[in-house]
Amino acid sequence: ATGLNMLLEGYSIVIPETGEVLHPKKGFRVFATENPIDSRLSVAGRNVQDVANDERWMCTDADYLPEEHEIKAGSVHYAGRVRTHLQAFTRRQGTASTVQELAGTLNGIAVACQARPVAPDVSLAGRIARMVEPQWWVKNLRRSLLREAETIEHAAGNIRRKKDCYVSSHAVLRVLARDKANREILDGLEVVNELGQACNLLEVSDASVSNPALRRAELMTRCRGFEETAAYAGHLAVFLTITAPSRFHRFAADGRDNPAWRGATPRDAQAYLCKVWQRIRAELGRQGIYPYGFRIAEPHHDACPHWHLLLFVPPHQAGWFKPEQYLKAIANKKARESAYSCAVRYEAASGLVGIVGAYALQDTPGERGAVKHRFTCERIDTSKGSATGYIAKYICKNVDGIT
């Protein structure tokens, strides 16, 4: 700071590392940046400047660009990057370059830039048309940034009971702002049919399942239809819940830190549940059991998802599950033997309920609380309530937050 003060006063200084002498000319100016003082101490290695040094500067605060401006700037950059690569690919025609190589490279660019790759069934021309368009990147970057921000909030412990349940306040405000902006755009547009009749696009949207209230009503109607169909066919309804192992939960149910958590995100937990469901479906197919119904993902207070399933099945295929007996069975599981086959061998499971229970508890079955919380089953008694009533609140909360 002393050497810089001398330079600002007009004196020459020596650079110690090189021995070079700097002689300031008339009108000499120094431009510098400094980190702000904040209570979180988010920047390491800072020192408070002395008063003499501070008084030699004209200070201007420069904040970060608004998020949307950064997204749009990034989208233009990434679209230009794709165009540059396409031009280079065109110049290399006649070499070992192939269409498959180009498609793979474009996917690599998308992943490297935190965008979701184009679906495999899209043609190469369609893939290129999307990735050279900045608006495609805007959509992907918005999703990616929101997801990354939620991952950070989740790891920091800000999403939990007594703080922000299910999702961060930042994400809620951002989604609400996007919904408001979308409605304003739709309200300023009209759609015209071949007869010249014009309709406000917002009114058209509100009259379709894009309207959460209508989408909720449609799902409830569909659920009721499934229930009536099952009643006509004489099928039973079972309500199942599958929860991920403890290592996927950031916090315990009461909001305390979970010592078993290993850094997993809610997306990791959802991927785990999807994998479990793949095994369940494969086993159901092998056993000739084909249930129908609804599957709903719902977050715990710390955003870790769990699944509710309302399934209808013929009475003789409903089955049963004995968790305590299953723990003994899985401990003696043979190599290459499925979890369900092992459970059947020890008379611990049967039918639909047995298959779901066997695979839901296959991972770390001896974990504390696994038997009680990892899998639950309830056969719906129509004399006490309808099957639709069991999942009504979950549908409402997931679609438009109505409780």
Side-chain angles (χ1 to χ4, degrees), residues 179-180 182-189 191 199-218 400:
D179 287 346
K180 181 181 178 181
N182 288 339
R183 291 185 65 81
E184 290 174 352
I185 292 173
L186 291 176
D187 195 28
L189 298 174
V191 59
C199 297
N200 180 271
L201 205 53
L202 180 60
E203 295 177 359
V204 174
S205 175
D206 285 343
S208 71
V209 291
S210 296
N211 184 339
L214 297 184
R215 187 160 66 251
R216 169 168 48 85
E218 181 174 300
D400 57 357

Side-chain angles (χ1 to χ4, degrees), residues 30-191:
V30 174
F31 292 89
T33 60
E34 66 175 356
N35 294 310
I37 296 176
D38 60 48
S39 58
R40 294 175 297 174
L41 300 177
S42 56
V43 181
R46 299 174 305 167
N47 293 303
V48 178
Q49 298 297 319
D50 59 73
V51 177
N53 188 39
D54 260 353
E55 290 180 347
R56 288 173 167 83
W57 300 91
M58 294 177 60
C59 296
T60 302
D61 291 329
D63 203 349
Y64 292 105
L65 284 174
E67 194 172 80
E68 279 299 307
H69 289 195
E70 288 189 338
I71 289 174
K72 290 178 180 177
S75 65
V76 172
H77 169 74
Y78 292 142
R81 180 174 169 181
V82 173
R83 291 194 189 94
T84 300
H85 182 82
L86 290 174
Q87 292 169 359
F89 179 84
T90 303
R91 290 194 297 269
R92 289 190 290 114
Q93 286 300 310
T95 67
S97 298
T98 63
V99 171
Q100 290 77 12
E101 177 193 349
L102 177 58
T105 302
L106 292 177
N107 275 345
I109 293 175
V111 172
C113 299
Q114 297 184 319
R116 185 165 57 188
V118 180
D121 57 345
V122 176
S123 66
L124 180 60
R127 187 184 305 269
I128 293 172
R130 287 167 172 78
M131 295 188 68
V132 298
E133 175 58 47
Q135 192 58 37
W136 183 84
W137 286 99
V138 167
K139 181 179 178 180
N140 275 275
L141 290 177
R142 280 176 182 156
R143 182 191 303 114
S144 176
L145 289 175
L146 182 58
R147 184 172 294 159
E148 186 66 23
E150 284 302 281
T151 299
I152 295 172
E153 293 277 10
H154 176 266
N158 296 328
I159 302 177
R160 58 167 167 161
R161 197 181 307 279
K162 298 180 181 178
K163 278 199 172 182
D164 290 338
C165 276
Y166 312 129
V167 66
S168 71
S169 298
H170 165 76
V172 172
L173 293 175
R174 184 172 175 184
V175 170
L176 291 176
R178 287 299 310 161
D179 287 346
K180 181 181 178 181
N182 288 339
R183 291 185 65 81
E184 290 174 352
I185 292 173
L186 291 176
D187 195 28
L189 298 174
E190 287 187 338
V191 59

Side-chain angles (χ1 to χ4, degrees), residues 322-333:
K322 300 177 181 178
E324 290 79 10
Q325 188 72 10
Y326 175 76
L327 293 182
K328 299 177 183 178
I330 204 67
N332 298 288
K333 180 177 173 293

Side-chain angles (χ1 to χ4, degrees), residues 313-373:
V313 71
H316 68 279
Q317 293 183 340
W320 41 265
F321 182 65
K322 300 177 181 178
E324 290 79 10
Q325 188 72 10
Y326 175 76
L327 293 182
K328 299 177 183 178
I330 204 67
N332 298 288
K333 180 177 173 293
K334 297 178 180 179
R336 303 181 66 84
E337 183 182 29
S338 73
Y340 178 66
S341 298
C342 177
V344 170
R345 186 160 57 86
Y346 280 80
E347 298 182 351
S350 174
L352 168 66
V353 175
I355 291 172
V356 177
Y359 286 101
L361 272 174
Q362 184 180 13
D363 186 309
T364 57
E367 182 180 71
R368 180 183 177 186
V371 170
K372 182 178 179 181
H373 301 292

Side-chain angles (χ1 to χ4, degrees), residues 205-275:
S205 175
D206 285 343
S208 71
V209 291
S210 296
N211 184 339
L214 297 184
R215 187 160 66 251
R216 169 168 48 85
E218 181 174 300
L219 283 171
M220 294 295 292
T221 302
R222 187 179 302 176
C223 183
R224 182 65 181 177
F226 273 46
E227 183 179 5
E228 292 179 355
T229 299
Y232 178 80
H235 292 172
L236 291 179
V238 291
F239 186 72
L240 310 173
T241 300
I242 305 175
T243 303
S246 181
R247 66 179 182 275
F248 291 99
H249 297 262
R250 179 67 178 84
F251 293 97
D254 58 4
R256 293 179 299 170
D257 277 314
N258 174 23
W261 181 64
R262 295 294 180 267
T265 67
R267 282 178 62 81
D268 295 330
Q270 180 69 1
Y272 165 83
L273 293 173
C274 287
K275 190 67 177 179

